[in-house]
Amino acid sequence: MPVVLPLHVERLIDLALEEDLFLGDVTSDATLDPAMEGEGRFLAKDELVLAGADVAVRVFDRLGASCRFEGQDGFAFGRGSFIGTARGPVRALLAAERTALNFLQRLSGVATLTRRCADALAAGGGKARLLDTRKTTPGWRRLEKDAVRAGGGANHRFALGDGVLIKDNHVAACGGVGQAVQRARARASALLKIEVEVSDLAGLAEALSAGADIVLLDNMDEASMAEAVRRASGRVLLEASGNMTLERLPRVAATGVDFVSMGALTHSAKAVDISFEITG
Amino acid sequence: MPVVLPLHVERLIDLALEEDLFLGDVTSDATLDPAMEGEGRFLAKDELVLAGADVAVRVFDRLGASCRFEGQDGFAFGRGSFIGTARGPVRALLAAERTALNFLQRLSGVATLTRRCADALAAGGGKARLLDTRKTTPGWRRLEKDAVRAGGGANHRFALGDGVLIKDNHVAACGGVGQAVQRARARASALLKIEVEVSDLAGLAEALSAGADIVLLDNMDEASMAEAVRRASGRVLLEASGNMTLERLPRVAATGVDFVSMGALTHSAKAVDISFEITG
Amino acid sequence: MPVVLPLHVERLIDLALEEDLFLGDVTSDATLDPAMEGEGRFLAKDELVLAGADVAVRVFDRLGASCRFEGQDGFAFGRGSFIGTARGPVRALLAAERTALNFLQRLSGVATLTRRCADALAAGGGKARLLDTRKTTPGWRRLEKDAVRAGGGANHRFALGDGVLIKDNHVAACGGVGQAVQRARARASALLKIEVEVSDLAGLAEALSAGADIVLLDNMDEASMAEAVRRASGRVLLEASGNMTLERLPRVAATGVDFVSMGALTHSAKAVDISFEITG
Amino acid sequence: MPVVLPLHVERLIDLALEEDLFLGDVTSDATLDPAMEGEGRFLAKDELVLAGADVAVRVFDRLGASCRFEGQDGFAFGRGSFIGTARGPVRALLAAERTALNFLQRLSGVATLTRRCADALAAGGGKARLLDTRKTTPGWRRLEKDAVRAGGGANHRFALGDGVLIKDNHVAACGGVGQAVQRARARASALLKIEVEVSDLAGLAEALSAGADIVLLDNMDEASMAEAVRRASGRVLLEASGNMTLERLPRVAATGVDFVSMGALTHSAKAVDISFEITG
Amino acid sequence: MPVVLPLHVERLIDLALEEDLFLGDVTSDATLDPAMEGEGRFLAKDELVLAGADVAVRVFDRLGASCRFEGQDGFAFGRGSFIGTARGPVRALLAAERTALNFLQRLSGVATLTRRCADALAAGGGKARLLDTRKTTPGWRRLEKDAVRAGGGANHRFALGDGVLIKDNHVAACGGVGQAVQRARARASALLKIEVEVSDLAGLAEALSAGADIVLLDNMDEASMAEAVRRASGRVLLEASGNMTLERLPRVAATGVDFVSMGALTHSAKAVDISFEITG
Amino acid sequence: MPVVLPLHVERLIDLALEEDLFLGDVTSDATLDPAMEGEGRFLAKDELVLAGADVAVRVFDRLGASCRFEGQDGFAFGRGSFIGTARGPVRALLAAERTALNFLQRLSGVATLTRRCADALAAGGGKARLLDTRKTTPGWRRLEKDAVRAGGGANHRFALGDGVLIKDNHVAACGGVGQAVQRARARASALLKIEVEVSDLAGLAEALSAGADIVLLDNMDEASMAEAVRRASGRVLLEASGNMTLERLPRVAATGVDFVSMGALTHSAKAVDISFEITG
């Protein structure tokens, strides 16, 4: 069965293939017989959590080759493991290789970092779930959000249109947290919860009395977070955000917040190393 | 004068704006008066070399706001500096903010890392120039190649179509380095030089006698590079590649190679931190 | 200031202009001097609530003419009122006319019907708000949702991605309402409320104990709705849906439900009649 | 054999799928196993003439499911009839359902209304054929023109480029009907007939002496139409247009005009009711 | 006022600019200051009839420069004449130059050949008008049809959708010319005339009795054409086609046919020579 | 195996099919049974070298038919030869016919002229290879460059981005050939050779001392070319360009230059005549 990707992802693949192949592949065209068939293998050079497998499959497919992986997105591979295979005309394999790897390495990088952070969060006890943010690579939001889930994280809102998040500018324009929440309740879709960003416990108090559904605790220390959990006492969901690091996550989890969000999952994940070698 | 960006970049901006704004901005729509005008300022939270300014300008322009920066791509800003300003309807400013920052932070991250590496290379003496690779973010090749130049690096080939680079698969298919170079000479554009990838000095010898224009020394240690420089004695250009780190660059430069290429410039640059605050 | 429309709407305008003008306008090309300038006026031939003004403006703009309206979307015009004016080359006015009217008449039709229904709902007393559905014209969702708001309605979820609505198929696959709500709570974005569709009071009871945020009462009679309101006693929001007619709305409002949704707002709105006459 | 649709229709399907699925289907993703296969059935809840079957097939196909109908476009189904079946992953069926129905219900609505009007016209005797107009849903012209034919109507010109229709503005600019026809004859394609719109019998006389091929009788009463038929005595084709209603059609047919055109076929057709139920 | 081109032409310009500038302009980027402004002049190196001026204007406009011509499409320039000027950043002028010239030279080539053929036809006396065909450069139909009119020719049908032309395959499938015409009359738009292709006088007789509006005389000699004119005696329009050459046109015109169509106008026009020189 | 064409070529095919079929095929729709299957044959009416076969295959494929050729691009067919076959629904064959032929005839025209010129060049002795230029049909660069290779020519740079060619404007802006070459060497990709255009032997001397890799001899006579070859004595590659004709090529080849480039290969190739006849 063919892979069905969102049109938006197909358009990103269009851009990717065009930028690498707009003028063809002059080296392969000059040196390789178009009829020569071959096979190549993907190997993990780092320990990694796979993500982006469907995109890689589609990249090979677009160029007339096929590809399959030894596990789905979210599967963890040890260093040196055999990850997958591609087959088809050697020219197609070499033309697809770099683009497929560039997708796989970055997306698996996001999934791998997410897995590590999710594990750190779990180590702290508590119920906190790890969330991503909108700090994603422009054009890649869907792919990176999928990679976060592959790594064991959950997704915060996808875009500006599927979640209400009231920040200081909105509050200032409305003349207070209460009015801002009220307007949002009146005008936004009733299916959306209302989240308010606050930077201290006074802000939390305002948000609670305004009837927010979720409160984002921005850049607070763990002591304040714990106090916020105590004061909220279950009336709202609490999300901790700002300056999260792998080391800090267990301590944050221990405060009892419901969510911890980290921009770094997508904007600072290092690409993992995956090789592709023609084997025959 | 309006910014003229390549169509390919406009299409990436299309993807970026659609993914964040496909369903509108429900928070701003509910809480902000559409007629309210405002101004916001970009501030460097890290020391950085700017890149992506034109893209950010275009993002604001697409949404009906304007934006200008205090320096062009390649300009270095200290931590805390004022980088630029955007003006227009507050709804437009908030709708453009995240996408513009996501572009700026990643591209300035590439430029900043490149500057650091180029300086390290220069510190080693020698004539070596720093090059990028094709290990770029799919869809972003043009932008990242521009960011590398903004950082003081130079560009290796843009794509598979504007440079001949003969690797082991091509050699194997042709039955030897000599035959591979000969076929490339016969069939590829005469305006392109021919580069051959080798992994040891024996490979270099083959490449020299095959008449390559450039030889890529893959994953060699500095001693071998220095010996390669001696043996080539100016007959070909030499490019060192593989496992380059900031620390190692001065030593590599000292071997006398002509170019050093680093995939990390684009695949592992950390996003720099830039804030955008509505100031009025 | 130029109108900024979502890219998706620009693409629909592309389709619309291409389908009418792909081969040019053979009559005007044969009979009209390209330099002749003119002006035309839009007149309401029915009582109507305006919607789609920005799209009409953009259609004229695309063809090199300009257009402005006497009121924004949501403004009510009496039969015979002067609505707006377009100016530019007569060839452009005639080329834009039909497409602009086709947009305006349909979208104003949606707004006009919505206004009528919202008024009927208000007449019934109670707090119920009028909602649209996903039964929109394919390609027109954004425009029709905007027209509903212009008419005084509110929007239900925009798409399958910004709201959880659990129906019988989901329940069946999960083995019960409770499990379905639990899975949705665990896997969907925490910013989304969870709505469950039920067809009788037994279903409501299940949804209440499963912890739904909103319950859709599908095709119930007013007596059952009133009983549902009593049983829910404010613990969930209640949405009434199915077989709504203008006549029935006041009675439904009187039951005390929170929302009434009507597919007919978008799938069965009659186009209102608007004329465009070249006046000089 | 795969369905081959015009590119323009494929683009409309792109818009339709993107607007409903841009952020995925959060409910199904959370509650349904991706591997679960199923089948669903389309049922006619109204008496209807089918149109849009190929588009519905393509919508399912795009999402990885298949679909087939019990009759081609133009086939009449009684209330309660089984119309067609879709098969594939349940997630795909539910993702395609709403978009497919939105297409089918509107297009079958056009075909159904057309059939009813064509029958009414036939009941009046005479040779008159029922025509559509350019008052179509922007982006849907091809689909709605096909639906009109499925319903037993014929198509007037598709666009501004495949038919000459001289209206008052063209006449005014040319200084008379005679000059307008003459210019059209001289400058437009010789394969196109020339139609002139008139609003009374004096206008008809002018059009006849100007050598028009077809005359559009705009908003005339039946007596005038009959007189026009008498005066034209076969020298031109006559098209009656304006304020046509189902009730009036037999009387209009009886006047002996060649064509009757009705904007309402496309701009005011009510969507017919079709259900889709997952059956296993 | 900005040039308004059909979307289809804008897309062709997209392709043209991308194919030449996808990787930028490495020579200008390396050698020219981006701030340097300049001016360039177009000169006719052949005697020519201008066509494509608007496209050239748009090409410069897309790259941030401006351009204007000394005459509109259809204007004849002598060898050595000054045709137009472009102004803007020198990098933009050089980037636009080749693409603009490639459009201008080919389209002016079509207009120039058309003018020559139209003059030859006129020299033969008679009323025959020169027509183009569908033998155009794929992607360029609109532009080449416009160039034919600029040269003094008229357009045959634009596409397969705006004219009925019955050929042997259609006749064979219908079982005769009569039945084919009858079906076309019954099913195609009433605004379209019906043309039938015949290869001898027997065919003409069939077409006449079938009630064709136009008859295409395919590959007949002048004597047969003259006889066809005599036999048709004004009941149908006659189009002569096949193996037309400049030399033969006066003799064909003299036979009295209504139209002469020539594929060579578009498929074999030689590009005229136009130079562009930076003058300051 | 399906044909894989570059996205850019697919977009050109989109334009081509839309412009011919935007309104459908009214003749075939009216006269042919949609279920009727058939077969057609391509025949060479001229002696020709085939090019564009893959594009023709894809055109038929897009419309639901299939097509295969008796030889690949570059194969020479005698006048009257059978070239290939298409099979499928007759409506699809007739809808694809003209577009497929328009591609094939033009591209085979380029290949045929190139073969003739390459043979003439070979007849002159010497080592000169025949090159194309950037004087291609906008939108068709890739296809025409492929056709040149099919005809036995080689490709000069594809675009402004994959080759450095320093012309008088660049030299003027830099203040001399030496400085221009130096800047290009410093700033352009090291994989690109540097070519300089000169118009006389003095220019050649400058280019040689500036260290150019290739020198383009613009519009020189054969005596000067021969002298240039003598003076360059192998230090640079020499390309002769300007006013090349079939007759002159042997004499140019005899001067000993390395390359001869001809814009006429693409801008003035005459379409070859190929027929397509439905045979059953």
Side-chain angles (χ1 to χ4, degrees), chain E residues 34-94:
Chain E
M36 184 168 59
E37 296 275 322
E39 179 180 317
R41 293 160 60 94
F42 293 96
L43 296 176
K45 316 283 282 191
D46 290 327
E47 198 171 323
L48 61 86
V49 174
L50 186 68
D54 276 0
V55 180
V57 167
R58 188 77 179 108
V59 166
F60 280 92
D61 175 53
R62 289 279 202 96
L63 296 174
S66 67
C67 167
R68 59 177 226 77
F69 287 88
E70 296 300 302
Q72 291 185 302
D73 280 13
F75 195 92
F77 289 93
R79 178 190 293 249
S81 329
F82 164 53
I83 298 180
T85 319
R87 282 195 185 77
V90 175
R91 282 191 181 184
L93 297 181
L94 293 176

Side-chain angles (χ1 to χ4, degrees), chain A residues 52-256:
Chain A
D54 276 0
V55 180
V57 167
R58 188 76 179 109
V59 165
F60 280 92
D61 174 52
R62 288 279 203 95
L63 296 174
S66 68
C67 169
R68 59 177 225 77
F69 287 88
E70 296 301 302
Q72 291 185 303
D73 280 14
F75 195 93
F77 288 93
R79 179 189 294 250
S81 329
F82 163 53
I83 297 179
T85 319
R87 281 195 186 77
V90 176
R91 283 190 180 185
L93 297 181
L94 294 176
E97 170 186 3
R98 186 73 263 144
T99 299
L101 284 174
N102 286 348
F103 274 114
L104 274 180
Q105 292 181 343
R106 178 173 298 267
L107 291 170
S108 298
V110 169
T112 304
L113 175 59
T114 301
R115 179 70 48 91
R116 208 163 289 150
C117 291
D119 289 348
L121 204 60
K127 61 181 175 302
R129 291 171 68 198
L130 183 65
L131 297 181
D132 52 28
T133 67
R134 287 169 48 245
K135 296 181 178 175
T136 53
T137 307
W140 286 59
R141 176 121 346 132
R142 169 69 79 104
L143 294 175
E144 291 182 348
K145 293 257 170 184
D146 287 349
V148 164
R149 282 205 316 283
N155 295 330
H156 205 290
R157 63 177 173 173
F158 187 91
L160 287 171
D162 65 331
V164 175
L165 178 42
I166 295 172
K167 301 192 178 186
D168 51 357
N169 293 307
H170 306 108
V171 169
C174 293
V177 170
Q179 286 110 313
V181 170
Q182 201 173 335
R183 281 205 208 167
R185 195 73 76 196
R187 299 188 192 165
S189 160
L191 278 172
L192 301 177
K193 289 184 188 162
I194 292 176
E195 180 167 14
V196 177
E197 179 180 311
V198 306
S199 55
D200 53 26
L201 293 169
L204 173 65
E206 279 188 282
L208 286 171
S209 69
D213 297 305
I214 310 181
V215 178
L216 186 154
L217 308 173
D218 188 36
N219 272 321
M220 291 194 186
D221 57 25
E222 285 87 347
S224 306
M225 289 179 196
E227 179 61 19
V229 170
R230 207 187 54 78
R231 296 198 186 172
S233 62
R235 281 173 295 163
V236 297
L237 295 168
L238 292 174
E239 171 187 351
S241 191
N243 291 320
M244 293 298 158
T245 58
L246 193 58
E247 294 69 32
R248 196 186 166 201
L249 287 174
R251 296 196 307 275
V252 173
T255 65

Side-chain angles (χ1 to χ4, degrees), chain C residues 48-72:
Chain C
L48 61 85
V49 174
L50 186 68
D54 277 0
V55 179
V57 167
R58 188 76 180 109
V59 165
F60 280 92
D61 174 53
R62 288 280 202 96
L63 296 175
S66 67
C67 167
R68 58 177 226 78
F69 287 88
E70 296 301 301
Q72 290 185 303

